[in-house]
Amino acid sequence: MRRETQNLLLLLLGGALLKIALGGSYLRYVKPSLFPWLMASGLVMVGLAAFAIVRDIRASGAGGHEHNSRSPWMLLLPVFAIFLVAPPALGSDSVTRDRPAAPQAPAEPRFPALPPDPEPLLSASEFVTRVIWDDSGSLDGRTVRLQGFVVHPTPDTAQLARMRISCCAADASPVKIDLAGAPQAVGLPADTWIEVAARLRPGTATEANDYVPTVEVLTLRTIPAPPDTYEY
């Protein structure tokens, strides 16, 4: 590979990292806490590329020799693709393809009390974790709000789902909640974002159904997709 191509590739890679970090699309790939590392990596790569380009310009001006090997420009295509095409965050296709991971027992065995609001907003992960591990019955008879995207396991059923990641999209696992009494959800396209007010059907999350609880939907409305679609 010619030195000029190496420098250009390094510059484009650094620029691509800065673009997805500053534009917020990095949240489709990694968790928010990695933002400083993406910025630092992008700045270092751009700085190294700029230093190498200036060095080569000075060397050529001093009579440096040329390299005659053909440049492998095809290596630059994936980098250009980052600038032109941004893959979407993981959605219903990933949920229907992967089995949900059973939530791990919390480090602190006792759960804090639910917020006193009549309909507190819980993440899907917290809700399912409470369903499985909280034996105090804190969810019994309580109305809670949940947000996620629509998944259709079968044409006449609907689930609310979120993707949970530990580090990046490569380790994502689905969190799923069956929706009962929600015919409007069945009619919505997959990946439509919704918020439901619902109550748990006790005893519905079992090992046999991969710990997927069922809720009775009281109200349902569509919402815009959040900037960060993952849970952690």
Side-chain angles (χ1 to χ4, degrees), residues 34-140:
L34 295 180
F35 173 79
W37 298 103
L38 290 176
M39 287 294 298
S41 299
L43 290 171
V44 168
M45 294 173 73
V46 169
L48 288 174
F51 173 81
I53 291 171
V54 171
R55 179 197 60 190
D56 290 346
I57 290 175
R58 289 179 176 175
S60 63
H65 50 268
E66 297 204 10
H67 301 278
N68 295 320
S69 59
R70 189 169 65 179
S71 301
W73 290 102
M74 293 293 289
L75 292 175
L76 299 177
L77 293 182
V79 183
F80 286 124
I82 297 177
F83 285 96
L84 300 176
V85 180
L90 299 178
S92 60
D93 288 342
S94 299
V95 173
T96 54
R97 183 176 63 247
D98 300 332
R99 291 184 60 186
Q104 299 296 311
E108 172 56 51
R110 300 191 63 176
F111 287 83
L114 288 174
D117 306 349
E119 298 180 354
L121 177 63
L122 301 183
S123 70
S125 297
E126 179 185 356
F127 179 78
V128 174
T129 301
R130 279 181 178 269
V131 169
I132 297 172
W133 296 104
D134 186 4
D135 57 5
S136 69
S138 62
L139 291 172
D140 294 348

Side-chain angles (χ1 to χ4, degrees), residues 200-219:
L200 171 69
R201 279 188 185 176
T204 53
T206 65
E207 185 178 2
N209 69 355
D210 294 323
Y211 300 99
V212 177
T214 298
V215 295
E216 292 283 352
V217 176
L218 306 177
T219 63

Side-chain angles (χ1 to χ4, degrees), residues 4-5 7-17 19-20 29 71-87:
E4 292 86 346
T5 306
N7 296 342
L8 180 59
L9 182 59
L10 188 61
L11 181 64
L12 289 174
L13 283 173
L17 280 178
K19 176 181 182 293
I20 64 174
Y29 318 107
S71 301
W73 290 102
M74 293 293 289
L75 292 175
L76 299 177
L77 293 182
V79 183
F80 286 124
I82 297 177
F83 285 96
L84 300 176
V85 180

